[in-house]
Amino acid sequence: MKWICITYLTLFSIGIYASPALVNSIDNQYSTIDYQPQQIHIAIGETSHEMVITWLTPSEAPLSLVEYGIGEINRTEEGVAQMFRDGGTEHRVMWIHRVVLQNLIPQTTYFYHCGSPLGWSEMFSFKTWRNGTDWPVSVALYGDMGAVNPQSLPRLQEETQRGMYDAVIHVGDFAYDMNTDNARVGDEFMRQIQPISAYVPYMVCPGNHEQMYNFSNYRARFSMPNYKDTESLFFSWDMGPIHFIAVNTEAYYFFEYGLKPLSRQYDWLISDLEEATKPEVRAQRPWIILFGHRPMYCSNNDHDDCRRIDCLTRVGLPVIHTYAMEPLLDRYGVDLAIWAHEHSYERLWPIYDYKVYNGSADAPYTNARAPVHITSGSAGCQERHDNFTPTQPSWSAFRSIDYGYTRLVAHNNTHLYIEQVSDDKDGTVIDKVWIIRDQHVPYAELRDKVTGTNAI
């Protein structure tokens, strides 16, 4: 009984009201594991001066706290917890905790841990981003990483710990699947990525493997910008000279959840692009990068929608062609579109409506006259590789089925560098390209100046 007395004294000495149900659970079956924070991950908040800390406990803890500071732990922020009930046969219950740290100082390292009087995590740290737009942004990008065969994970963990990235972007398909085994596979995956996601913002979008129970595991576990409104399904954020946009491509495919998610996202996307392309805004933050799970183009040897000329994410709904995304990329001059889904890597020439619009024959990615598409879905999962067609299409510039991931660095307002890392080849860079643009404008303006002479 000694530990029970200590627990009660701790609770009441700091003025916590413990519900009768919680007290009863502590009386009967107190276990540190029940209240120990796990699966800690962070994401940027509504501004770059905010960080959202998210974690899980198997049982309801009395508080959701983050203790943090610069050099020493001298601040405390309280958040909220929500019960999540998985849709599997066991209807497992877990508690998702969220705490928002506000008014953070730019370019500063903060140390933190999270938990409650019944259990605390180990100590972590993160570094806030610089102020303004004039600084080089470095991120890792990939999709389709599972709890089994996550081949790229150890290298990504190491590089994150070495401070190589300002953020990591996971372009859909997690764990395979987060709902599997009554969400235990999701728990395992979130523990595996913690050496990355507890130290840098782990930014995500949903994929087809998240769809079970209306994407409930995904919506419950992640806390992206504006998550209270869009449940992390679509959102955007600013980072140095880049405006990032995350979209839910699955809204085009899972109509059992209704048409409203697609309609709402499409209207939001237009509004977001309108704001991002205002002349005064784009002059300061010129790069626009959109990412979503399913690509518009691919040359894989399968029957996925990206093999079809009327791919839904590209041309919109069948017959009526509403909610087409590709015309938006072209109209608003989106510089780069990142996809996954295919378990491979493929870089395209600048392309619109199956026509290649290189900047020039000698410098195809310098002032290109159409968006650049890259598919990076080979981080590693139990479904292994997706092979390519024997003949490479004219619009495909480079492709590989090596396990790996993509690095992106926006050096300034005009130069964006991308490279593909092969984990099969011990971290060798197997592809690299500079995207250079001194005019971030709608592509029709560029094509009008050179009336298709470089179009293939």
Side-chain angles (χ1 to χ4, degrees):
M1 291 296 292
K2 181 179 180 181
W3 63 266
I4 297 178
C5 295
I6 294 173
T7 299
Y8 280 7
L9 286 172
T10 303
L11 290 172
F12 287 109
S13 66
I14 61 175
I16 297 171
Y17 170 74
S19 69
L22 178 58
V23 171
N24 186 60
S25 69
I26 294 172
D27 275 340
N28 294 325
Q29 50 182 16
Y30 178 89
S31 169
T32 302
I33 294 176
D34 290 338
Y35 307 99
Q36 191 70 30
Q38 55 177 274
Q39 309 170 38
I40 295 96
H41 52 288
I42 67 176
I44 201 68
E46 300 307 308
T47 73
S48 61
H49 302 297
E50 295 182 2
M51 199 71 75
V52 184
I53 318 295
T54 306
W55 70 95
L56 179 148
T57 56
S59 295
E60 181 182 9
L63 287 174
S64 303
L65 299 174
V66 171
E67 296 181 339
Y68 69 108
I70 304 168
E72 61 177 331
I73 302 300
N74 56 8
R75 308 180 195 180
T76 302
E77 192 68 44
E78 183 177 352
V80 296
Q82 290 181 312
M83 185 186 76
F84 170 60
R85 187 184 300 275
D86 176 61
T89 57
E90 295 180 16
H91 301 294
R92 286 182 63 221
V93 169
M94 56 199 80
W95 292 85
I96 310 294
H97 304 258
R98 292 180 172 92
V99 174
V100 180
L101 307 184
Q102 298 177 312
N103 301 315
L104 300 175
I105 301 172
Q107 204 173 355
T108 301
T109 298
Y110 285 85
F111 294 90
Y112 76 96
H113 68 165
C114 54
S116 75
L118 298 184
W120 291 92
S121 74
E122 59 265 54
M123 195 67 65
F124 301 103
S125 66
F126 62 83
K127 187 174 182 179
T128 52
W129 299 337
R130 303 184 198 181
N131 251 343
T133 63
D134 187 18
W135 55 278
V137 167
S138 177
V139 300
L141 299 147
Y142 53 84
D144 301 80
M145 187 163 69
V148 175
N149 189 36
Q151 183 163 325
S152 301
L153 181 61
R155 193 176 305 279
L156 286 161
Q157 290 171 335
E158 179 188 12
E159 291 178 350
T160 299
Q161 297 292 316
R162 287 166 51 194
M164 287 183 59
Y165 305 118
D166 301 301
V168 168
I169 297 175
H170 189 142
V171 193
D173 279 7
F174 309 82
Y176 284 72
D177 295 343
M178 285 197 287
N179 63 279
T180 300
D181 191 16
N182 294 279
R184 291 183 179 87
V185 170
D187 291 342
E188 175 59 25
F189 175 80
M190 298 301 291
R191 285 191 287 265
Q192 289 178 4
I193 65 169
Q194 184 174 285
I196 301 171
S197 62
Y199 293 92
V200 297
Y202 200 85
M203 311 304 289
V204 300
C205 70
N208 56 295
H209 277 269
E210 282 68 74
Q211 71 86 21
M212 189 63 75
Y213 316 124
N214 196 7
F215 300 86
S216 62
N217 267 271
Y218 172 88
R219 292 187 289 110
R221 292 174 185 267
F222 290 109
S223 308
M224 296 298 103
N226 203 28
Y227 68 89
K228 291 181 181 178
D229 182 37
T230 68
E231 297 182 292
S232 303
L233 294 171
F234 57 90
F235 56 94
S236 64
W237 80 95
D238 296 326
M239 189 178 184
I242 304 176
H243 180 66
F244 281 105
I245 302 173
V247 295
N248 173 23
T249 59
E250 305 317 296
Y252 288 84
Y253 297 94
F254 293 101
F255 292 121
E256 59 264 44
Y257 304 125
L259 189 61
K260 186 176 179 179
L262 176 57
S263 173
R264 185 178 181 223
Q265 174 179 262
Y266 193 78
D267 291 342
W268 169 87
L269 179 57
I270 292 174
S271 176
D272 188 84
L273 287 167
E274 287 280 355
E275 180 65 29
T277 54
K278 288 180 177 177
E280 66 275 17
V281 175
R282 202 156 198 190
Q284 293 297 314
R285 184 171 285 108
W287 295 105
I288 299 178
I289 299 176
L290 178 143
F291 66 94
H293 184 63
R294 299 202 203 203
M296 297 181 181
Y297 300 89
C298 68
S299 64
N300 297 88
N301 190 20
D302 53 31
H303 300 288
D304 285 340
D305 199 35
C306 51
R307 286 291 309 280
R308 297 164 52 90
I309 197 167
D310 56 353
C311 170
L312 297 182
T313 57
R314 195 177 77 82
V315 304
L317 300 183
V319 183
I320 55 176
H321 296 312
T322 53
Y323 309 120
M325 269 204 295
E326 190 180 35
L328 299 184
L329 305 187
D330 184 72
R331 183 191 313 162
Y332 293 100
V334 172
D335 301 283
L336 178 64
I338 300 287
W339 316 101
H341 191 61
E342 304 299 326
H343 300 167
S344 55
Y345 169 79
E346 186 166 23
R347 169 173 55 86
L348 307 189
W349 300 115
I351 189 171
Y352 177 61
D353 196 21
Y354 275 92
K355 295 183 179 66
V356 172
Y357 292 98
N358 291 336
S360 67
D362 295 331
Y365 295 98
T366 299
N367 292 321
R369 291 170 297 123
V372 177
H373 293 251
I374 288 177
T375 296
S376 183
S378 59
C381 68
Q382 64 201 47
E383 293 184 356
R384 307 293 172 177
H385 300 295
D386 286 335
N387 291 314
F388 290 105
T389 58
T391 302
Q392 187 170 1
S394 61
W395 41 263
S396 176
F398 182 91
R399 55 188 193 172
S400 170
I401 62 168
D402 285 8
Y403 287 117
Y405 52 94
T406 307
R407 297 184 186 132
L408 181 150
V409 181
H411 286 274
N412 50 43
N413 285 2
T414 58
H415 286 67
L416 188 75
Y417 176 72
I418 299 167
E419 64 184 19
Q420 179 68 10
V421 177
S422 169
D423 196 75
D424 291 345
K425 295 181 174 63
D426 198 29
T428 299
V429 173
I430 58 173
D431 183 47
K432 55 186 176 182
V433 64
W434 284 92
I435 300 176
I436 301 172
R437 292 192 70 183
D438 54 31
Q439 296 181 77
H440 297 267
V441 296
Y443 290 106
E445 295 184 21
L446 301 178
R447 291 196 292 269
D448 288 344
K449 293 179 181 179
V450 186
T451 58
T453 55
N454 291 325
I456 298 176

